[in-house]
Amino acid sequence: MTSGSSKDEGGGVAPQNKGSWSSFLKSIASFNGDLSSMTAPPFILGTLSLTEFSAYWTQHPSVFVAPAAEKDPAKRALLVLKWFLSTLKPSYSTRNDKYGSEKKPLNPFLGELFLGKWEDEAGTTELVSEQVSHHPPVTAYCIQNPKHGIKLEGYNGQKASFSRTIHIKQIGHALLTLTPPDNPSAPAETYLITLPNIHIEGLIYGKPFVELNGCTYISSSTGYTGKIDYSGKGWVSGKKNSFTATLYPTGKEKDVLYSVDGQWPESFTIRQGSGKHGTVIDTYNSRNAPITPLIVPALEQQDPWEANKAWEKVITAITKGDMDTTNIEKSKIENAQREYRRREQSEGREWERRFFRRSDKAEDWWEALAKGIGERIEAEKTGGVWRFDKAKAETARRPFHEGMSPTG
């Protein structure tokens, strides 16, 4: 949290909410532990659930499938890096492009689902997102385009803490798999993608926005590694949301094949070779890139466990600014979920996931990809290692939990 005058403090908060905002800031400043257990003021709640955030991986399906058509393995790895960088703006920037207007997403309940598809020149790209754990909270997802033979799956949890500002450590990873276009009978290529850490700026002014920090990697089974460094307000440019990235043969970080720099919510430039002196070969404008709308079933066709249907009354109340009803409707879901967990514990059974399965450790090939970038699985922090279960998915049908409702 940056310092500011008392006059500016809470400047972005409506007058009627300044009291509860100040109380919230004081509570998180003195809180010791995981911030996910704290309740935020209703007026900073957004109308999206975290299960819906999985869709931000593929707002640009043509960029997502592009690597599957590239025959050169180094250029294929570069296209994977370009696609990943294109996902940062929708995943981490404000949802309405108004700087300093970030909202807290709704915390998904165990079993919550978000299903949809994109249809455009890339064909049909399908999305499945499921809340597979509540303590700790973990969302798993699978996005695939059968026409191009490309699939993304992964899971992530979030550990939030406070030290001058809110810090969020993302735990989990994503896996992109595709079939090389020049050898359809060859084993699928795999790209292990790590997740950036987040911190929230602008809290004291009531105008929160996201910054990324540290670095992430894309480690491929084809022998290439992408490294992305997030510098916040760039060391040279001084611009917020700055980053640099390189692609190099695994284990040879100084032998840079391609480099990228820019601001992830704005635009970036791709060069052959290292740094500013490399030859420009491509540019990408994050703001102007055409977005393919996600198609989801109409509310009346959705199952009670699908996010938009389950949170319908809460979302309506938030949109109207009716905080009393927001609290009442949220509490109905939260209380019902506590009762479901109590029954499961007393009966010695576990919640049935509809699309994903859990294991206790990662596969050998995962460990091989992770070794070179220092990644650890941390299964104990995500309730296990979560993988898409094709057999389960093929039999999953509405109603997903017959005779049950998120509100009990």
Side-chain angles (χ1 to χ4, degrees):
M1 182 186 299
T2 55
S3 61
S5 68
S6 58
K7 180 180 179 181
D8 293 332
E9 184 171 330
V13 178
Q16 67 270 26
N17 295 324
K18 283 192 175 183
S20 55
W21 179 252
S22 296
S23 298
F24 176 62
L25 290 180
K26 290 176 183 176
S27 65
I28 61 175
S30 60
F31 189 78
N32 182 23
D34 183 0
L35 287 174
S36 65
S37 61
M38 292 191 68
T39 301
F43 68 86
I44 69 166
L45 286 176
T47 56
L48 292 177
S49 167
L50 276 173
T51 56
E52 299 177 65
F53 280 40
S54 302
Y56 293 132
W57 285 107
T58 328
Q59 284 197 340
H60 315 291
S62 60
V63 183
F64 173 63
V65 304
E70 174 55 58
K71 293 183 178 181
D72 181 87
K75 292 179 180 177
R76 204 156 52 237
L78 176 63
L79 287 173
V80 172
L81 175 59
K82 176 184 176 181
W83 157 75
F84 173 76
L85 294 172
S86 78
T87 71
L88 295 177
K89 179 185 184 297
S91 294
Y92 301 110
S93 190
T94 70
R95 261 29 97 186
N96 61 8
D97 279 342
K98 184 181 179 183
Y99 182 68
S101 58
E102 204 64 57
K103 296 289 187 179
K104 181 185 181 298
L106 298 167
N107 289 329
F109 51 84
L110 182 59
E112 181 177 316
L113 296 165
F114 185 64
L115 313 174
K117 63 182 179 180
W118 297 267
E119 292 183 342
D120 59 9
E121 65 275 9
T124 299
T125 307
E126 302 161 341
L127 164 69
V128 172
S129 182
E130 180 174 10
Q131 191 71 6
V132 292
S133 176
H134 187 63
H135 292 296
V138 178
T139 304
Y141 50 85
C142 180
I143 300 168
Q144 51 190 332
N145 184 303
K147 176 182 174 182
H148 293 274
I150 191 167
K151 179 177 77 170
L152 177 78
E153 65 172 292
Y155 64 93
N156 68 287
Q158 297 182 334
K159 182 80 172 180
S161 60
F162 184 86
S163 176
R164 297 186 64 215
T165 187
I166 293 178
H167 298 270
I168 302 170
K169 180 184 179 183
Q170 296 200 91
I171 307 168
H173 58 266
L175 295 167
L176 183 76
T177 56
L178 60 87
T179 303
D182 54 346
N183 191 358
S185 61
E189 295 177 1
T190 304
Y191 298 78
L192 168 61
I193 303 166
T194 64
L195 308 174
N197 290 326
I198 302 166
H199 61 273
I200 311 298
E201 295 291 351
L203 278 177
I204 198 168
Y205 307 112
K207 296 181 178 181
F209 67 94
V210 168
E211 269 288 14
L212 305 181
N213 56 16
C215 66
T216 61
Y217 293 89
I218 302 175
S219 176
S220 78
S221 60
T222 56
Y224 297 95
T225 298
K227 180 181 180 181
I228 306 99
D229 284 293
Y230 308 95
S231 58
K233 289 189 175 180
W235 299 308
V236 178
S237 68
K239 296 177 180 178
K240 69 181 190 302
N241 305 137
S242 298
F243 78 92
T244 59
T246 54
L247 182 74
Y248 51 88
T250 299
K252 300 178 179 180
E253 187 171 346
K254 293 184 179 179
D255 297 342
V256 175
L257 302 174
Y258 300 98
S259 55
V260 193
D261 65 88
Q263 293 173 272
W264 49 264
E266 302 289 339
S267 63
F268 55 83
T269 301
I270 302 174
R271 294 177 173 85
Q272 186 167 15
S274 180
K276 296 285 187 180
H277 301 295
T279 302
V280 176
I281 60 173
D282 196 7
T283 59
Y284 185 85
N285 190 309
S286 304
R287 289 197 174 275
N288 296 338
I291 294 174
T292 299
L294 179 69
I295 302 170
V296 298
L299 274 176
E300 58 270 19
Q301 297 174 336
Q302 289 188 25
D303 186 85
W305 292 86
E306 292 182 64
N308 294 164
K309 186 70 172 180
W311 292 105
E312 180 181 10
K313 292 181 179 179
V314 173
I315 292 169
T316 299
I318 291 173
T319 302
K320 291 180 178 179
D322 184 347
M323 296 302 109
D324 289 338
T325 302
T326 297
N327 273 329
I328 291 170
E329 295 300 333
K330 269 183 85 263
S331 295
K332 288 179 182 178
I333 293 176
E334 292 163 354
N335 292 335
Q337 294 304 306
R338 294 188 190 98
E339 178 60 21
Y340 280 136
R341 303 295 83 78
R342 188 194 64 76
R343 287 185 206 166
E344 289 160 6
Q345 187 174 19
S346 66
E347 296 170 8
R349 57 185 176 85
E350 187 176 341
W351 179 259
E352 181 68 26
R353 283 80 180 177
R354 282 293 173 258
F355 292 91
F356 296 86
R357 56 179 168 78
R358 173 171 53 195
S359 61
D360 296 326
K361 62 179 183 179
E363 304 85 348
D364 290 343
W365 54 261
W366 190 96
E367 296 289 357
L369 290 175
K371 185 177 180 181
I373 57 175
E375 181 74 356
R376 291 177 56 246
I377 199 71
E378 298 188 287
E380 72 282 358
K381 295 181 180 179
T382 54
V385 178
W386 299 95
R387 295 288 184 254
F388 182 68
D389 191 316
K390 184 178 178 181
K392 279 187 174 182
E394 288 176 345
T395 59
R397 298 286 186 277
R398 296 179 179 89
F400 294 111
H401 300 283
E402 192 165 8
M404 301 174 69
S405 164
T407 54

